[in-house]
PDB file of all heavy atoms in Angstrom:
ATOM      1  N   TRP A   1      74.203 131.983 171.836  1.00 93.00           N
ATOM      2  CA  TRP A   1      75.697 131.860 171.490  1.00 93.00           C
ATOM      3  C   TRP A   1      75.955 131.782 170.034  1.00 93.00           C
ATOM      4  O   TRP A   1      76.844 132.448 169.548  1.00 93.00           O
ATOM      5  CB  TRP A   1      76.423 130.714 172.333  1.00 93.00           C
ATOM      6  CG  TRP A   1      77.812 130.679 172.268  1.00 93.00           C
ATOM      7  CD1 TRP A   1      78.716 131.430 173.011  1.00 93.00           C
ATOM      8  CD2 TRP A   1      78.631 129.991 171.301  1.00 93.00           C
ATOM      9  NE1 TRP A   1      80.038 131.204 172.618  1.00 93.00           N
ATOM     10  CE2 TRP A   1      79.987 130.344 171.611  1.00 93.00           C
ATOM     11  CE3 TRP A   1      78.332 129.126 170.254  1.00 93.00           C
ATOM     12  CZ2 TRP A   1      81.024 129.765 170.867  1.00 93.00           C
ATOM     13  CZ3 TRP A   1      79.449 128.453 169.578  1.00 93.00           C
ATOM     14  CH2 TRP A   1      80.725 128.890 169.818  1.00 93.00           C
ATOM     15  N   LEU A   2      75.226 130.979 169.352  1.00 91.00           N
ATOM     16  CA  LEU A   2      75.352 130.777 168.018  1.00 91.00           C
ATOM     17  C   LEU A   2      75.097 132.056 167.146  1.00 91.00           C
ATOM     18  O   LEU A   2      75.762 132.507 166.289  1.00 91.00           O
ATOM     19  CB  LEU A   2      74.526 129.692 167.516  1.00 91.00           C
ATOM     20  CG  LEU A   2      74.794 128.274 167.931  1.00 91.00           C
ATOM     21  CD1 LEU A   2      73.890 127.273 167.417  1.00 91.00           C
ATOM     22  CD2 LEU A   2      76.223 127.842 167.323  1.00 91.00           C
ATOM     23  N   ALA A   3      74.147 132.845 167.696  1.00 90.00           N
ATOM     24  CA  ALA A   3      73.751 134.131 167.020  1.00 90.00           C
ATOM     25  C   ALA A   3      74.827 135.079 167.237  1.00 90.00           C
ATOM     26  O   ALA A   3      75.165 135.849 166.355  1.00 90.00           O
ATOM     27  CB  ALA A   3      72.419 134.687 167.623  1.00 90.00           C
ATOM     28  N   LEU A   4      75.478 135.115 168.431  1.00 91.00           N
ATOM     29  CA  LEU A   4      76.594 135.955 168.690  1.00 91.00           C
ATOM     30  C   LEU A   4      77.847 135.745 167.833  1.00 91.00           C
ATOM     31  O   LEU A   4      78.451 136.581 167.382  1.00 91.00           O
ATOM     32  CB  LEU A   4      77.041 135.955 170.217  1.00 91.00           C
ATOM     33  CG  LEU A   4      76.090 136.435 171.203  1.00 91.00           C
ATOM     34  CD1 LEU A   4      76.529 136.097 172.663  1.00 91.00           C
ATOM     35  CD2 LEU A   4      75.918 137.954 171.066  1.00 91.00           C
ATOM     36  N   VAL A   5      77.971 134.396 167.445  1.00 92.00           N
ATOM     37  CA  VAL A   5      79.047 134.051 166.564  1.00 92.00           C
ATOM     38  C   VAL A   5      78.869 134.695 165.292  1.00 92.00           C
ATOM     39  O   VAL A   5      79.820 135.289 164.598  1.00 92.00           O
ATOM     40  CB  VAL A   5      79.116 132.515 166.405  1.00 92.00           C
ATOM     41  CG1 VAL A   5      80.128 132.165 165.243  1.00 92.00           C
ATOM     42  CG2 VAL A   5      79.662 131.932 167.772  1.00 92.00           C
ATOM     43  N   TYR A   6      77.611 134.647 164.719  1.00 89.00           N
ATOM     44  CA  TYR A   6      77.284 135.269 163.455  1.00 89.00           C
ATOM     45  C   TYR A   6      77.608 136.848 163.508  1.00 89.00           C
ATOM     46  O   TYR A   6      78.046 137.365 162.533  1.00 89.00           O
ATOM     47  CB  TYR A   6      75.815 135.078 163.142  1.00 89.00           C
ATOM     48  CG  TYR A   6      75.440 133.718 162.412  1.00 89.00           C
ATOM     49  CD1 TYR A   6      74.203 133.264 162.407  1.00 89.00           C
ATOM     50  CD2 TYR A   6      76.416 132.996 161.814  1.00 89.00           C
ATOM     51  CE1 TYR A   6      73.782 132.125 161.697  1.00 89.00           C
ATOM     52  CE2 TYR A   6      76.164 131.882 161.220  1.00 89.00           C
ATOM     53  CZ  TYR A   6      74.837 131.361 161.109  1.00 89.00           C
ATOM     54  OH  TYR A   6      74.602 130.170 160.482  1.00 89.00           O
ATOM     55  N   ILE A   7      77.211 137.365 164.565  1.00 90.00           N
ATOM     56  CA  ILE A   7      77.458 138.817 164.800  1.00 90.00           C
ATOM     57  C   ILE A   7      78.889 139.290 164.679  1.00 90.00           C
ATOM     58  O   ILE A   7      79.299 140.159 164.016  1.00 90.00           O
ATOM     59  CB  ILE A   7      76.819 139.437 166.035  1.00 90.00           C
ATOM     60  CG1 ILE A   7      75.252 139.205 166.062  1.00 90.00           C
ATOM     61  CG2 ILE A   7      77.187 140.919 166.303  1.00 90.00           C
ATOM     62  CD1 ILE A   7      74.621 139.472 167.331  1.00 90.00           C
ATOM     63  N   VAL A   8      79.684 138.408 165.454  1.00 93.00           N
ATOM     64  CA  VAL A   8      81.117 138.739 165.476  1.00 93.00           C
ATOM     65  C   VAL A   8      81.816 138.426 164.086  1.00 93.00           C
ATOM     66  O   VAL A   8      82.518 139.358 163.690  1.00 93.00           O
ATOM     67  CB  VAL A   8      81.804 137.820 166.492  1.00 93.00           C
ATOM     68  CG1 VAL A   8      83.306 137.894 166.442  1.00 93.00           C
ATOM     69  CG2 VAL A   8      81.381 138.121 167.949  1.00 93.00           C
ATOM     70  N   VAL A   9      81.344 137.406 163.424  1.00 94.00           N
ATOM     71  CA  VAL A   9      81.916 137.214 161.996  1.00 94.00           C
ATOM     72  C   VAL A   9      81.666 138.340 161.092  1.00 94.00           C
ATOM     73  O   VAL A   9      82.418 138.884 160.451  1.00 94.00           O
ATOM     74  CB  VAL A   9      81.341 135.892 161.436  1.00 94.00           C
ATOM     75  CG1 VAL A   9      81.767 135.668 159.997  1.00 94.00           C
ATOM     76  CG2 VAL A   9      81.881 134.608 162.229  1.00 94.00           C
ATOM     77  N   ALA A  10      80.322 138.763 161.083  1.00 90.00           N
ATOM     78  CA  ALA A  10      79.847 139.754 160.146  1.00 90.00           C
ATOM     79  C   ALA A  10      80.598 141.027 160.415  1.00 90.00           C
ATOM     80  O   ALA A  10      81.100 141.733 159.524  1.00 90.00           O
ATOM     81  CB  ALA A  10      78.445 140.015 160.175  1.00 90.00           C
ATOM     82  N   PHE A  11      80.677 141.506 161.690  1.00 90.00           N
ATOM     83  CA  PHE A  11      81.225 142.813 161.874  1.00 90.00           C
ATOM     84  C   PHE A  11      82.714 142.824 161.949  1.00 90.00           C
ATOM     85  O   PHE A  11      83.337 143.889 161.593  1.00 90.00           O
ATOM     86  CB  PHE A  11      80.663 143.369 163.226  1.00 90.00           C
ATOM     87  CG  PHE A  11      79.256 143.840 163.160  1.00 90.00           C
ATOM     88  CD1 PHE A  11      78.265 143.422 164.147  1.00 90.00           C
ATOM     89  CD2 PHE A  11      78.880 144.767 162.248  1.00 90.00           C
ATOM     90  CE1 PHE A  11      76.988 143.891 163.956  1.00 90.00           C
ATOM     91  CE2 PHE A  11      77.533 145.176 162.141  1.00 90.00           C
ATOM     92  CZ  PHE A  11      76.609 144.724 163.051  1.00 90.00           C
ATOM     93  N   THR A  12      83.330 141.742 162.296  1.00 94.00           N
ATOM     94  CA  THR A  12      84.880 141.604 162.241  1.00 94.00           C
ATOM     95  C   THR A  12      85.201 141.781 160.794  1.00 94.00           C
ATOM     96  O   THR A  12      86.171 142.629 160.433  1.00 94.00           O
ATOM     97  CB  THR A  12      85.337 140.267 162.758  1.00 94.00           C
ATOM     98  OG1 THR A  12      85.103 140.258 164.144  1.00 94.00           O
ATOM     99  CG2 THR A  12      86.802 140.153 162.599  1.00 94.00           C
ATOM    100  N   ASP A  13      84.697 140.997 159.917  1.00 94.00           N
ATOM    101  CA  ASP A  13      85.155 141.036 158.405  1.00 94.00           C
ATOM    102  C   ASP A  13      84.784 142.399 157.785  1.00 94.00           C
ATOM    103  O   ASP A  13      85.452 142.787 156.984  1.00 94.00           O
ATOM    104  CB  ASP A  13      84.572 139.874 157.729  1.00 94.00           C
ATOM    105  CG  ASP A  13      85.250 139.637 156.413  1.00 94.00           C
ATOM    106  OD1 ASP A  13      86.490 139.409 156.322  1.00 94.00           O
ATOM    107  OD2 ASP A  13      84.635 139.831 155.289  1.00 94.00           O
ATOM    108  N   MET A  14      83.647 142.937 158.152  1.00 91.00           N
ATOM    109  CA  MET A  14      83.284 144.152 157.582  1.00 91.00           C
ATOM    110  C   MET A  14      84.259 145.266 157.967  1.00 91.00           C
ATOM    111  O   MET A  14      84.732 146.060 157.115  1.00 91.00           O
ATOM    112  CB  MET A  14      81.883 144.626 158.099  1.00 91.00           C
ATOM    113  CG  MET A  14      81.374 145.872 157.494  1.00 91.00           C
ATOM    114  SD  MET A  14      79.749 146.215 158.214  1.00 91.00           S
ATOM    115  CE  MET A  14      78.733 144.803 157.610  1.00 91.00           C
ATOM    116  N   THR A  15      84.668 145.379 159.281  1.00 92.00           N
ATOM    117  CA  THR A  15      85.682 146.279 159.709  1.00 92.00           C
ATOM    118  C   THR A  15      87.061 146.017 159.006  1.00 92.00           C
ATOM    119  O   THR A  15      87.676 146.998 158.689  1.00 92.00           O
ATOM    120  CB  THR A  15      85.747 146.258 161.193  1.00 92.00           C
ATOM    121  OG1 THR A  15      84.569 146.366 161.861  1.00 92.00           O
ATOM    122  CG2 THR A  15      86.699 147.332 161.662  1.00 92.00           C
ATOM    123  N   ALA A  16      87.480 144.785 158.946  1.00 94.00           N
ATOM    124  CA  ALA A  16      88.760 144.446 158.342  1.00 94.00           C
ATOM    125  C   ALA A  16      88.766 145.003 156.855  1.00 94.00           C
ATOM    126  O   ALA A  16      89.777 145.465 156.442  1.00 94.00           O
ATOM    127  CB  ALA A  16      88.974 142.962 158.436  1.00 94.00           C
ATOM    128  N   ASN A  17      87.681 144.812 156.186  1.00 92.00           N
ATOM    129  CA  ASN A  17      87.653 145.254 154.715  1.00 92.00           C
ATOM    130  C   ASN A  17      87.706 146.695 154.734  1.00 92.00           C
ATOM    131  O   ASN A  17      88.182 147.362 153.686  1.00 92.00           O
ATOM    132  CB  ASN A  17      86.437 144.776 154.067  1.00 92.00           C
ATOM    133  CG  ASN A  17      86.507 143.284 153.521  1.00 92.00           C
ATOM    134  OD1 ASN A  17      87.032 143.112 152.415  1.00 92.00           O
ATOM    135  ND2 ASN A  17      86.154 142.297 154.327  1.00 92.00           N
ATOM    136  N   MET A  18      87.201 147.433 155.696  1.00 90.00           N
ATOM    137  CA  MET A  18      87.096 148.953 155.699  1.00 90.00           C
ATOM    138  C   MET A  18      88.554 149.466 155.921  1.00 90.00           C
ATOM    139  O   MET A  18      88.744 150.678 155.618  1.00 90.00           O
ATOM    140  CB  MET A  18      86.297 149.529 156.839  1.00 90.00           C
ATOM    141  CG  MET A  18      84.716 149.395 156.511  1.00 90.00           C
ATOM    142  SD  MET A  18      83.865 149.969 157.916  1.00 90.00           S
ATOM    143  CE  MET A  18      84.499 151.651 158.024  1.00 90.00           C
ATOM    144  N   PHE A  19      89.469 148.607 156.437  1.00 94.00           N
ATOM    145  CA  PHE A  19      90.833 149.232 156.697  1.00 94.00           C
ATOM    146  C   PHE A  19      91.707 149.196 155.442  1.00 94.00           C
ATOM    147  O   PHE A  19      92.907 149.425 155.532  1.00 94.00           O
ATOM    148  CB  PHE A  19      91.495 148.360 157.744  1.00 94.00           C
ATOM    149  CG  PHE A  19      90.936 148.771 159.260  1.00 94.00           C
ATOM    150  CD1 PHE A  19      91.067 147.827 160.240  1.00 94.00           C
ATOM    151  CD2 PHE A  19      90.222 149.898 159.400  1.00 94.00           C
ATOM    152  CE1 PHE A  19      90.503 148.261 161.579  1.00 94.00           C
ATOM    153  CE2 PHE A  19      89.642 150.324 160.624  1.00 94.00           C
ATOM    154  CZ  PHE A  19      89.797 149.411 161.706  1.00 94.00           C
ATOM    155  N   ILE A  20      91.221 148.593 154.328  1.00 94.00           N
ATOM    156  CA  ILE A  20      92.034 148.356 153.119  1.00 94.00           C
ATOM    157  C   ILE A  20      91.595 149.257 151.979  1.00 94.00           C
ATOM    158  O   ILE A  20      90.298 149.403 151.765  1.00 94.00           O
ATOM    159  CB  ILE A  20      92.009 146.875 152.725  1.00 94.00           C
ATOM    160  CG1 ILE A  20      92.277 145.988 153.870  1.00 94.00           C
ATOM    161  CG2 ILE A  20      92.939 146.581 151.503  1.00 94.00           C
ATOM    162  CD1 ILE A  20      93.800 146.219 154.479  1.00 94.00           C
ATOM    163  N   GLY A  21      92.471 149.821 151.165  1.00 92.00           N
ATOM    164  CA  GLY A  21      92.006 150.571 149.973  1.00 92.00           C
ATOM    165  C   GLY A  21      92.032 151.943 150.305  1.00 92.00           C
ATOM    166  O   GLY A  21      92.435 152.567 151.283  1.00 92.00           O
ATOM    167  N   ALA A  22      91.200 152.697 149.403  1.00 91.00           N
ATOM    168  CA  ALA A  22      91.112 154.158 149.594  1.00 91.00           C
ATOM    169  C   ALA A  22      89.883 154.640 148.740  1.00 91.00           C
ATOM    170  O   ALA A  22      89.375 153.845 148.001  1.00 91.00           O
ATOM    171  CB  ALA A  22      92.401 154.893 149.106  1.00 91.00           C
ATOM    172  N   MET A  23      89.571 155.932 148.903  1.00 87.00           N
ATOM    173  CA  MET A  23      88.433 156.432 148.119  1.00 87.00           C
ATOM    174  C   MET A  23      88.685 157.831 147.924  1.00 87.00           C
ATOM    175  O   MET A  23      89.402 158.652 148.657  1.00 87.00           O
ATOM    176  CB  MET A  23      87.150 156.316 148.852  1.00 87.00           C
ATOM    177  CG  MET A  23      86.844 157.026 150.087  1.00 87.00           C
ATOM    178  SD  MET A  23      85.208 156.801 150.877  1.00 87.00           S
ATOM    179  CE  MET A  23      84.208 157.713 149.709  1.00 87.00           C
ATOM    180  N   ASP A  24      88.206 158.407 146.792  1.00 86.00           N
ATOM    181  CA  ASP A  24      88.196 159.838 146.464  1.00 86.00           C
ATOM    182  C   ASP A  24      86.921 160.386 146.688  1.00 86.00           C
ATOM    183  O   ASP A  24      85.964 160.156 145.869  1.00 86.00           O
ATOM    184  CB  ASP A  24      88.723 160.041 145.097  1.00 86.00           C
ATOM    185  CG  ASP A  24      88.993 161.485 144.704  1.00 86.00           C
ATOM    186  OD1 ASP A  24      88.482 162.347 145.410  1.00 86.00           O
ATOM    187  OD2 ASP A  24      89.757 161.749 143.738  1.00 86.00           O
ATOM    188  N   PRO A  25      86.667 161.113 147.744  1.00 82.00           N
ATOM    189  CA  PRO A  25      85.211 161.699 147.903  1.00 82.00           C
ATOM    190  C   PRO A  25      84.745 162.620 146.843  1.00 82.00           C
ATOM    191  O   PRO A  25      83.618 162.795 146.642  1.00 82.00           O
ATOM    192  CB  PRO A  25      85.345 162.453 149.255  1.00 82.00           C
ATOM    193  CG  PRO A  25      86.566 161.859 149.903  1.00 82.00           C
ATOM    194  CD  PRO A  25      87.501 161.576 148.760  1.00 82.00           C
ATOM    195  N   VAL A  26      85.678 163.269 146.137  1.00 75.00           N
ATOM    196  CA  VAL A  26      85.318 164.205 145.081  1.00 75.00           C
ATOM    197  C   VAL A  26      84.818 163.535 143.905  1.00 75.00           C
ATOM    198  O   VAL A  26      83.751 163.838 143.283  1.00 75.00           O
ATOM    199  CB  VAL A  26      86.490 165.128 144.739  1.00 75.00           C
ATOM    200  CG1 VAL A  26      86.176 166.083 143.605  1.00 75.00           C
ATOM    201  CG2 VAL A  26      86.989 165.989 145.971  1.00 75.00           C
ATOM    202  N   THR A  27      85.552 162.472 143.390  1.00 76.00           N
ATOM    203  CA  THR A  27      85.127 161.764 142.173  1.00 76.00           C
ATOM    204  C   THR A  27      84.255 160.618 142.437  1.00 76.00           C
ATOM    205  O   THR A  27      83.609 160.086 141.526  1.00 76.00           O
ATOM    206  CB  THR A  27      86.368 161.218 141.390  1.00 76.00           C
ATOM    207  OG1 THR A  27      87.104 160.332 142.226  1.00 76.00           O
ATOM    208  CG2 THR A  27      87.313 162.371 141.074  1.00 76.00           C
ATOM    209  N   GLY A  28      84.230 160.159 143.717  1.00 74.00           N
ATOM    210  CA  GLY A  28      83.465 158.938 144.077  1.00 74.00           C
ATOM    211  C   GLY A  28      84.207 157.723 143.663  1.00 74.00           C
ATOM    212  O   GLY A  28      83.509 156.610 143.781  1.00 74.00           O
ATOM    213  N   VAL A  29      85.369 157.714 143.305  1.00 83.00           N
ATOM    214  CA  VAL A  29      86.052 156.563 142.926  1.00 83.00           C
ATOM    215  C   VAL A  29      86.685 155.823 144.223  1.00 83.00           C
ATOM    216  O   VAL A  29      87.164 156.444 145.053  1.00 83.00           O
ATOM    217  CB  VAL A  29      87.288 156.848 141.896  1.00 83.00           C
ATOM    218  CG1 VAL A  29      88.116 155.527 141.599  1.00 83.00           C
ATOM    219  CG2 VAL A  29      86.712 157.419 140.638  1.00 83.00           C
ATOM    220  N   SER A  30      86.632 154.579 144.272  1.00 84.00           N
ATOM    221  CA  SER A  30      87.079 153.757 145.311  1.00 84.00           C
ATOM    222  C   SER A  30      88.150 152.819 144.857  1.00 84.00           C
ATOM    223  O   SER A  30      88.131 152.369 143.611  1.00 84.00           O
ATOM    224  CB  SER A  30      86.053 153.003 146.153  1.00 84.00           C
ATOM    225  OG  SER A  30      85.401 151.993 145.321  1.00 84.00           O
ATOM    226  N   TYR A  31      89.209 152.609 145.650  1.00 88.00           N
ATOM    227  CA  TYR A  31      90.380 151.650 145.214  1.00 88.00           C
ATOM    228  C   TYR A  31      90.401 150.523 146.188  1.00 88.00           C
ATOM    229  O   TYR A  31      90.304 150.659 147.488  1.00 88.00           O
ATOM    230  CB  TYR A  31      91.659 152.445 145.334  1.00 88.00           C
ATOM    231  CG  TYR A  31      91.584 153.761 144.531  1.00 88.00           C
ATOM    232  CD1 TYR A  31      91.168 155.030 144.987  1.00 88.00           C
ATOM    233  CD2 TYR A  31      91.977 153.700 143.135  1.00 88.00           C
ATOM    234  CE1 TYR A  31      91.217 156.120 144.170  1.00 88.00           C
ATOM    235  CE2 TYR A  31      91.894 154.842 142.371  1.00 88.00           C
ATOM    236  CZ  TYR A  31      91.496 156.087 142.906  1.00 88.00           C
ATOM    237  OH  TYR A  31      91.567 157.171 142.128  1.00 88.00           O
ATOM    238  N   LYS A  32      90.527 149.301 145.676  1.00 87.00           N
ATOM    239  CA  LYS A  32      90.451 148.122 146.488  1.00 87.00           C
ATOM    240  C   LYS A  32      91.826 147.907 147.242  1.00 87.00           C
ATOM    241  O   LYS A  32      91.830 147.259 148.300  1.00 87.00           O
ATOM    242  CB  LYS A  32      90.401 146.832 145.534  1.00 87.00           C
ATOM    243  CG  LYS A  32      89.001 146.709 144.995  1.00 87.00           C
ATOM    244  CD  LYS A  32      87.875 146.555 145.900  1.00 87.00           C
ATOM    245  CE  LYS A  32      86.554 146.357 145.298  1.00 87.00           C
ATOM    246  NZ  LYS A  32      85.523 146.137 146.175  1.00 87.00           N
ATOM    247  N   ALA A  33      92.920 148.510 146.857  1.00 90.00           N
ATOM    248  CA  ALA A  33      94.145 148.499 147.619  1.00 90.00           C
ATOM    249  C   ALA A  33      94.733 149.889 147.550  1.00 90.00           C
ATOM    250  O   ALA A  33      94.540 150.694 146.557  1.00 90.00           O
ATOM    251  CB  ALA A  33      95.090 147.469 146.874  1.00 90.00           C
ATOM    252  N   ALA A  34      95.583 150.182 148.513  1.00 88.00           N
ATOM    253  CA  ALA A  34      96.244 151.469 148.607  1.00 88.00           C
ATOM    254  C   ALA A  34      97.231 151.677 147.467  1.00 88.00           C
ATOM    255  O   ALA A  34      97.308 152.749 146.944  1.00 88.00           O
ATOM    256  CB  ALA A  34      96.919 151.640 149.875  1.00 88.00           C
ATOM    257  N   ALA A  35      97.805 150.533 146.957  1.00 86.00           N
ATOM    258  CA  ALA A  35      98.803 150.594 145.846  1.00 86.00           C
ATOM    259  C   ALA A  35      98.041 150.926 144.565  1.00 86.00           C
ATOM    260  O   ALA A  35      98.689 151.416 143.560  1.00 86.00           O
ATOM    261  CB  ALA A  35      99.476 149.303 145.669  1.00 86.00           C
ATOM    262  N   ASP A  36      96.768 150.784 144.456  1.00 89.00           N
ATOM    263  CA  ASP A  36      96.004 151.289 143.305  1.00 89.00           C
ATOM    264  C   ASP A  36      95.726 152.726 143.035  1.00 89.00           C
ATOM    265  O   ASP A  36      95.330 153.088 141.954  1.00 89.00           O
ATOM    266  CB  ASP A  36      94.687 150.424 143.227  1.00 89.00           C
ATOM    267  CG  ASP A  36      94.807 148.954 143.089  1.00 89.00           C
ATOM    268  OD1 ASP A  36      95.984 148.464 142.778  1.00 89.00           O
ATOM    269  OD2 ASP A  36      93.808 148.209 143.595  1.00 89.00           O
ATOM    270  N   VAL A  37      95.982 153.492 144.167  1.00 87.00           N
ATOM    271  CA  VAL A  37      95.722 154.933 144.000  1.00 87.00           C
ATOM    272  C   VAL A  37      96.832 155.490 143.075  1.00 87.00           C
ATOM    273  O   VAL A  37      98.019 155.236 143.181  1.00 87.00           O
ATOM    274  CB  VAL A  37      95.902 155.517 145.510  1.00 87.00           C
ATOM    275  CG1 VAL A  37      95.769 157.079 145.378  1.00 87.00           C
ATOM    276  CG2 VAL A  37      94.904 155.055 146.423  1.00 87.00           C
ATOM    277  N   PRO A  38      96.345 156.322 142.148  1.00 83.00           N
ATOM    278  CA  PRO A  38      97.263 156.877 141.189  1.00 83.00           C
ATOM    279  C   PRO A  38      98.409 157.670 141.747  1.00 83.00           C
ATOM    280  O   PRO A  38      98.218 158.287 142.812  1.00 83.00           O
ATOM    281  CB  PRO A  38      96.373 157.873 140.378  1.00 83.00           C
ATOM    282  CG  PRO A  38      94.993 157.363 140.606  1.00 83.00           C
ATOM    283  CD  PRO A  38      94.895 156.805 141.874  1.00 83.00           C
ATOM    284  N   ALA A  39      99.602 157.550 141.109  1.00 71.00           N
ATOM    285  CA  ALA A  39     100.671 158.402 141.593  1.00 71.00           C
ATOM    286  C   ALA A  39     100.430 159.914 141.634  1.00 71.00           C
ATOM    287  O   ALA A  39      99.864 160.424 140.732  1.00 71.00           O
ATOM    288  CB  ALA A  39     101.921 158.143 140.805  1.00 71.00           C
ATOM    289  N   GLY A  40     100.837 160.497 142.778  1.00 63.00           N
ATOM    290  CA  GLY A  40     100.580 161.949 142.919  1.00 63.00           C
ATOM    291  C   GLY A  40      99.292 162.219 143.726  1.00 63.00           C
ATOM    292  O   GLY A  40      99.222 163.396 144.211  1.00 63.00           O
ATOM    293  N   ALA A  41      98.511 161.287 143.846  1.00 65.00           N
ATOM    294  CA  ALA A  41      97.226 161.598 144.666  1.00 65.00           C
ATOM    295  C   ALA A  41      97.753 161.498 146.181  1.00 65.00           C
ATOM    296  O   ALA A  41      98.634 160.679 146.451  1.00 65.00           O
ATOM    297  CB  ALA A  41      96.235 160.495 144.470  1.00 65.00           C
ATOM    298  N   ALA A  42      97.122 162.236 146.952  1.00 59.00           N
ATOM    299  CA  ALA A  42      97.724 162.318 148.353  1.00 59.00           C
ATOM    300  C   ALA A  42      96.527 162.352 149.452  1.00 59.00           C
ATOM    301  O   ALA A  42      95.443 162.699 149.136  1.00 59.00           O
ATOM    302  CB  ALA A  42      98.500 163.556 148.608  1.00 59.00           C
ATOM    303  N   GLY A  43      96.899 161.793 150.608  1.00 56.00           N
ATOM    304  CA  GLY A  43      95.978 161.783 151.665  1.00 56.00           C
ATOM    305  C   GLY A  43      96.306 163.065 152.534  1.00 56.00           C
ATOM    306  O   GLY A  43      96.658 164.086 151.952  1.00 56.00           O
ATOM    307  N   GLY A  44      95.972 163.003 153.847  1.00 55.00           N
ATOM    308  CA  GLY A  44      96.317 164.199 154.671  1.00 55.00           C
ATOM    309  C   GLY A  44      95.301 165.247 154.217  1.00 55.00           C
ATOM    310  O   GLY A  44      94.114 165.182 154.277  1.00 55.00           O
TER     311      GLY A  44
END
């Protein structure tokens, strides 16, 4: 049970961090927050 708690903590927070920010696959630049993405850059 204690080991399962460790697993849930690690994977929950890892996934939560993955839902925030953005990345540019071409330049390899990552952004900690969506608001940090330069104006004019687009998703889709």
